[in-house]
Amino acid sequence: PKRGKVAYLIDSKKPYIIDTLYYNIENDSIRALILETRQKTLIKKGLNYNIDLFEQERKRIEFLLKDNGYYYFSKDLIVLDVYSNKNRVSITLNIHHSKLPKEYYPYFYKAMKRYTIAKIYLHTNYNRKKILENKVKYRSTLDTIPFTNDIYIVNRGLSPVNPKILLKRNDIIPNTYYSISNVNRLIDY
């Protein structure tokens, strides 16, 4: 029964503008990869300060590194330091152990290693349900047949798919760096 009126006065001020972006990257190879692609960065001079943009940039870098052999890399290892002076913002993108809690150090150093594909095992009649029921029993029923030096066919009985067809669609090659793009393409087939 009681009513009132409220009037809001919003003073939006001037937005903070990105002025500079610095890189503090401990690993030389990772630094080189990121700097090679810095023209693709989403954090650009003159743009408004935007936390969502920073998160997208962290995801972009995570994908870039996972596509170039850094299997364990995570966007959570990227720490952004933001410094403001009036309405100008300087940002430092850190991939450095000193910016993380000490309990992250083992994971950090594991994520800084570049991984290559050693061998490929193609399961032609993989049954997730049966492996979850009894992993040991399921594995004991499998045959592993060398197809080439580093590629093996794993199946039970006759393969429902010709392995040569699978290999034609496979972009994952032994002795090359891990690439999440190649993995995603194979999964999409």
Side-chain angles (χ1 to χ4, degrees), residues 10-22:
I10 299 173
D11 184 4
S12 63
K13 307 258 184 210
K14 288 184 179 179
Y16 283 88
I17 305 296
I18 297 170
D19 186 51
T20 51
L21 174 61
Y22 301 103

Side-chain angles (χ1 to χ4, degrees), residues 41-182:
T41 185
L42 302 174
I43 303 172
K44 297 187 189 280
K45 183 175 181 167
L47 291 179
N48 287 355
Y49 175 87
N50 182 335
I51 291 175
D52 293 334
L53 192 67
F54 299 159
E55 184 61 19
Q56 290 171 22
E57 178 66 4
R58 291 171 74 221
K59 287 178 184 177
R60 184 192 74 80
I61 291 172
E62 177 184 39
F63 185 85
L64 169 72
L65 296 178
K66 283 188 172 186
D67 214 30
N68 284 278
Y70 295 94
Y71 179 80
Y72 289 105
F73 191 84
S74 166
K75 66 181 177 63
D76 296 332
L77 298 174
I78 301 171
V79 177
L80 294 170
D81 289 331
V82 180
Y83 305 98
S84 64
N85 182 8
K86 298 183 183 174
N87 286 48
R88 306 307 257 169
V89 175
S90 294
I91 300 163
T92 301
L93 188 145
N94 298 284
I95 301 176
H96 202 284
H97 78 279
S98 66
K99 293 292 182 173
L100 300 168
K102 286 188 179 186
E103 59 268 18
Y104 281 51
Y105 287 8
Y107 177 75
F108 177 84
Y109 290 115
K110 186 176 184 178
M112 295 297 105
K113 292 179 185 172
R114 208 167 186 190
Y115 291 85
T116 57
I117 304 296
K119 296 178 182 177
I120 297 173
Y121 293 87
L122 295 170
H123 290 253
T124 58
N125 51 8
Y126 181 78
N127 188 322
R128 184 181 180 124
K129 181 180 176 190
K130 290 196 178 202
I131 200 166
L132 290 173
E133 287 172 0
N134 188 334
K135 185 188 272 186
V136 174
K137 182 178 176 185
Y138 180 79
R139 286 190 173 164
S140 70
T141 64
L142 298 175
D143 290 325
T144 303
I145 304 160
F147 191 73
T148 66
N149 287 341
D150 297 319
I151 299 175
Y152 300 86
I153 306 300
V154 180
N155 62 23
R156 186 177 52 236
L158 292 174
S159 174
V161 179
N162 184 336
K164 289 180 183 178
I165 292 171
L166 290 176
L167 289 174
K168 283 182 184 178
R169 298 200 173 236
N170 177 30
D171 292 331
I172 302 172
I173 300 166
N175 303 312
T176 61
Y177 288 119
Y178 168 81
S179 166
I180 195 161
S181 292
N182 289 344

